[in-house]
Amino acid sequence: MKGNFFKALCVLAGAAAVSSCGPDAPAPYGAVPSPRQVEWQKMETNMFCHFGPNTFTSAEWGTGQEDADIFNPTGMDCRQWASIAKAAGMKGIIITAKHHDGFCLWPNPVSRHTVAQSSWKDGKGDVLKELSDACREYGLKFGVYISPWDRNDPAYGTDEYNEVFRQTLASALGDYGPVFEQWFDGACGEGPNGKVQVYDWDLYHRTVYEYQPDAVIFSDTGPGCRWIGNEAGYAGRTCWSTLDTAGFAPGQADPSRESLNCGDAGGEAWIPGEADVSIRPGWFYKDSENDKVKSLSDLLGIYYASVGRNSLLLLNVPPDKRGLIHSVDSLRLMEFRAALDKIFAADMSDGAEAEATTVRGGSGRFAASNILDDDYDSYWATDDGVTEASLVVELGGMKTFNRIMIQEYIPLGQRVAEFSVDVRDSSGNWVCAAEATTIGYKRILLTDRIASDAVRINIEKSYACPVLNGFGLYLDEIMGETEAWDEPDDSGQVKKASEPLVLDLGKTVVARGFYYTPKKHGAGGCIVSYDLEVSADGETWTGIYSDKMFENIENNPVRQEVRFRQPAEISHIRLTPVRTSAGETYGVSGFGILQ
Ligand code: FUL
């Protein structure tokens, strides 16, 4: 309130008198977000829906040769998706309007592989229409994923495709009302002899803005927001919203995974991170994954490692073959929401008072107490050139908490590069509770359970005077104290790429398929394509697959299950890497048969 009061006074006094109201606001530092990027960041959590032919074939990457009739949801209800998203506290839904198989979930006039060619609703169905209507009804924003890589379009790999893709964008973006985010996937799994498409990104971007001037464009290099460098839902502990993009383009030459995960300090463009992750191991619905939906504690861990590390969380909840969100997923989402509501309902800093070692111009407009109010645009700042400062929050009594939330006022850029948080112990001494690097839009620090009556934030390194606008203290009694995301997992082994995996089952069994699990987060690399052979005696081998690919394993290195066309009686199985993501090695934490 105080901030507003001062602003109102200044406005009333008129421009000539502004200087008498105290010092000017700090000048923006470095790259800053556009207003639409600030609004986008405030959404915090959105829902992703992977839906299409893969839902019916259990594939992750369709070939593009699927019959359009495969797409046949028996009871699709986008209002159900929207009501679940809304109840889960999501602010928007992004749908895979066209995945790599090229199938369009709307009657795209420039494609022959769409809902209009299927017998679903006699070729009159339109998922984008139903979902955009449902989003409007439930007060959610609507976004589209449209894959540039297309395994169906005959023009893919020629110049002509750029025009086809332009018209595809125009059709998807022009006909369904406002689109808040356009998701461009950078994946391209064409093999060594595959088609090479030179994407005309300038044309694509111009087209998006022509139809949706307010859309935030996602890709490996933005320009609106960036992939966070993994599909496990975690941003770096250091996470800058700025990125250097010169020389990079999505699907061709991406910034390193580390740059994507952590951003670049002082990077030339404001391209904040978006952490995408599926609630299931795969992106598309599979019956076989109904018992593998992430646990509540997994989801909370993801929340802290994404929203709590200056990123947006885009959580995939894939509709099933009926075209409905399965109850296993919706129940988990409701538990997730209830847990977040419980954790963040009580802010232990309510009613607290704040004081800083230094305040910009000594002015109330930039007072420390501004970090405690609910006004997003009021903040504490120091004088220009003052880049080390402390701020004490007196809690007015003993409070118990294990989550410390701090926000930087990002409309003026991201500045803080090192800070720590102390708490006062019962003898009145300050004890360090946490140390970290970046803050950004929102940082949530996880600590042990702390009982204290005061908290001190120490800004130790900042590229310009610090500008903080939010603070909170919470108690999470659900997830506990650990933040396991970056911890290495020693299970499994790293093998030489030339070494096959061989399993002697010790007896003859009927195998219906096999599985391969890389090491956690793909450590040591993973097998990308392989030959698979089986044997009934360990001597004579029969090839089942040759140079076959684990779809999307490089981005999402989780357990892969492959089902044989027909069951085989075997006693041995051999998986020989043809290509591995790391070249010389690959990791393995599981290999076996499916019965
Ligand atoms: C990846 C794709 O290849 C996956 O299939 C999925 O859509 C994921 C969100 O992005 O790059």
Side-chain angles (χ1 to χ4, degrees):
M1 284 313 293
K2 216 178 282 167
N4 278 340
F5 176 69
F6 272 94
K7 268 177 246 161
L9 257 188
C10 289
V11 171
L12 282 176
V18 164
S19 58
S20 68
C21 291
D24 288 342
Y29 167 75
V32 292
S34 65
R36 70 168 167 245
Q37 285 173 311
V38 176
E39 288 318 304
W40 174 90
Q41 192 91 50
K42 289 180 184 170
M43 294 175 81
E44 297 196 358
T45 55
N46 290 322
M47 193 160 100
F48 214 178
C49 285
H50 275 64
F51 190 50
N54 296 346
T55 311
F56 302 87
T57 60
S58 296
E60 281 291 302
W61 283 357
T63 61
Q65 301 310 310
E66 296 82 8
D67 191 324
D69 278 345
I70 272 259
F71 182 81
N72 192 17
T74 47
M76 189 183 87
D77 181 4
C78 293
R79 297 180 69 248
Q80 187 242 18
W81 314 0
S83 70
I84 290 169
K86 185 75 183 178
M90 305 287 173
K91 298 294 188 289
I93 300 183
I94 300 179
I95 171 87
T96 51
K98 174 172 90 94
H99 202 253
H100 310 321
D101 55 32
F103 186 81
C104 299
L105 297 186
W106 81 103
N108 177 6
V110 291
S111 169
R112 298 291 305 151
H113 195 45
T114 79
V115 279
Q117 280 75 45
S118 77
S119 39
W120 177 60
K121 297 197 172 181
D122 295 325
K124 304 261 174 338
D126 184 342
V127 183
L128 295 198
K129 167 100 180 70
E130 292 194 35
L131 184 59
S132 56
D133 284 350
C135 283
R136 242 185 313 277
E137 181 183 341
Y138 283 89
L140 295 165
K141 293 189 177 176
F142 171 68
V144 284
Y145 166 121
I146 304 180
S147 168
W149 181 32
D150 192 315
R151 299 178 102 177
N152 174 272
D153 198 293
Y156 188 82
T158 69
D159 276 355
E160 200 195 319
Y161 178 76
N162 284 323
E163 177 54 19
V164 172
F165 196 64
R166 184 191 70 77
Q167 292 187 35
T168 296
L169 289 173
S171 159
L173 298 170
D175 292 343
Y176 301 99
V179 169
F180 83 99
E181 183 170 333
Q182 163 63 52
W183 225 87
F184 282 129
D185 199 307
C188 179
E190 295 286 327
N193 304 319
K195 296 179 183 172
V196 179
Q197 175 68 44
V198 179
Y199 296 125
D200 188 345
W201 286 107
D202 283 347
L203 174 69
Y204 305 168
H205 292 168
R206 272 202 316 274
T207 309
V208 174
Y209 293 139
E210 182 183 338
Y211 291 92
Q212 296 291 338
D214 291 329
V216 166
I217 299 181
F218 168 100
S219 82
D220 296 348
T221 54
C225 61
R226 70 172 194 266
W227 184 43
I228 207 67
N230 60 67
E231 293 184 355
Y234 65 95
R237 282 175 191 274
T238 295
C239 188
W240 294 98
S241 290
T242 45
L243 192 73
D244 287 320
T245 55
F248 298 123
Q252 280 138 10
D254 301 335
S256 69
R257 297 272 168 122
E258 204 202 324
S259 274
L260 290 169
N261 201 227
C262 301
D264 295 319
E268 67 189 8
W270 186 272
I271 308 180
E274 180 183 87
D276 59 322
V277 59
S278 183
I279 196 166
R280 291 162 170 255
W283 288 99
F284 286 88
Y285 176 86
K286 292 173 193 67
D287 292 329
S288 62
E289 293 184 351
N290 285 349
D291 58 351
K292 297 192 180 72
V293 170
K294 289 194 169 55
S295 68
L296 173 59
S297 140
D298 288 342
L299 291 181
L300 287 173
I302 285 170
Y303 177 84
Y304 291 125
S306 53
V307 177
R309 293 187 189 170
N310 188 33
S311 290
L312 225 78
L313 169 58
L314 180 60
L315 180 62
N316 182 59
V317 186
D320 64 14
K321 294 187 171 96
R322 297 168 302 170
L324 295 174
I325 291 175
H326 194 281
S327 55
V328 182
D329 309 70
S330 56
L331 285 170
R332 190 53 39 77
L333 277 179
M334 295 310 113
E335 283 172 23
F336 179 43
R337 184 71 250 162
L340 290 177
D341 285 348
K342 184 156 191 278
I343 297 162
F344 293 102
D347 179 354
M348 310 303 160
S349 73
D350 275 355
E353 291 188 359
E355 219 169 300
T357 49
T358 167
V359 169
R360 189 173 183 82
S363 161
R365 181 178 166 204
F366 304 110
S369 56
N370 287 338
I371 72 162
L372 297 174
D373 66 20
D374 291 333
D375 178 2
Y376 183 79
D377 294 306
S378 78
Y379 48 82
W380 165 64
T382 63
D383 283 331
D384 291 342
V386 176
T387 53
E388 284 175 47
S390 292
L391 187 155
V392 173
V393 181
E394 291 284 348
L395 302 175
M398 290 297 272
K399 299 285 164 68
T400 304
F401 53 88
N402 58 7
R403 306 288 181 254
I404 302 169
M405 189 280 290
I406 305 180
Q407 292 186 283
E408 256 182 291
Y409 186 63
I410 56 167
L412 295 179
Q414 193 179 347
R415 301 155 174 251
V416 176
E418 269 172 42
F419 70 105
S420 63
V421 181
D422 300 333
V423 292
R424 197 161 55 202
D425 71 11
S426 49
S427 330
N429 297 319
W430 290 108
V431 179
C432 182
E435 287 177 311
T437 49
T438 51
I439 300 176
Y441 166 73
K442 184 176 267 191
R443 182 73 196 249
I444 305 175
L445 299 167
L446 277 63
T447 67
D448 292 341
R449 200 181 169 99
I450 292 169
S452 176
D453 66 350
V455 175
R456 183 169 72 184
I457 304 170
N458 308 303
I459 304 298
E460 286 154 5
K461 180 175 170 192
S462 186
Y463 289 111
C465 69
V467 180
L468 303 187
N469 68 331
F471 178 79
L473 297 171
Y474 307 94
L475 181 62
D476 176 350
E477 297 192 280
I478 303 163
M479 194 187 98
E481 324 296 352
T482 49
E483 197 168 10
W485 290 96
D486 324 299
E487 280 158 25
D489 178 356
D490 290 333
S491 61
Q493 11 168 340
V494 174
K495 297 177 83 78
K496 288 210 189 87
S498 53
E499 265 180 77
L501 290 174
V502 186
L503 202 63
D504 177 352
L505 300 162
K507 58 179 181 193
T508 304
V509 297
V510 177
R512 295 199 146 69
F514 76 98
Y515 67 87
Y516 157 66
T517 316
K519 274 170 72 75
K520 185 179 167 190
H521 298 331
C526 46
I527 302 177
V528 178
S529 53
Y530 59 88
D531 293 338
L532 187 92
E533 296 150 295
V534 292
S535 168
D537 56 13
E539 282 171 20
T540 322
W541 293 88
T542 311
I544 302 221
Y545 300 116
S546 144
D547 200 2
K548 188 171 159 68
M549 196 173 194
F550 289 123
E551 298 145 1
N552 202 33
I553 194 170
E554 286 187 81
N555 291 329
N556 190 20
V558 296
R559 177 179 156 114
Q560 309 285 310
E561 292 192 356
V562 178
R563 300 211 165 249
F564 299 155
R565 252 159 307 204
Q566 55 208 35
E569 286 199 7
I570 64 169
S571 62
H572 294 71
I573 180 162
R574 182 160 72 196
L575 180 67
T576 308
V578 172
R579 186 165 79 79
T580 63
S581 62
E584 304 285 293
T585 62
Y586 66 94
V588 53
S589 65
F591 173 53
I593 58 160
L594 302 171
Q595 285 190 287

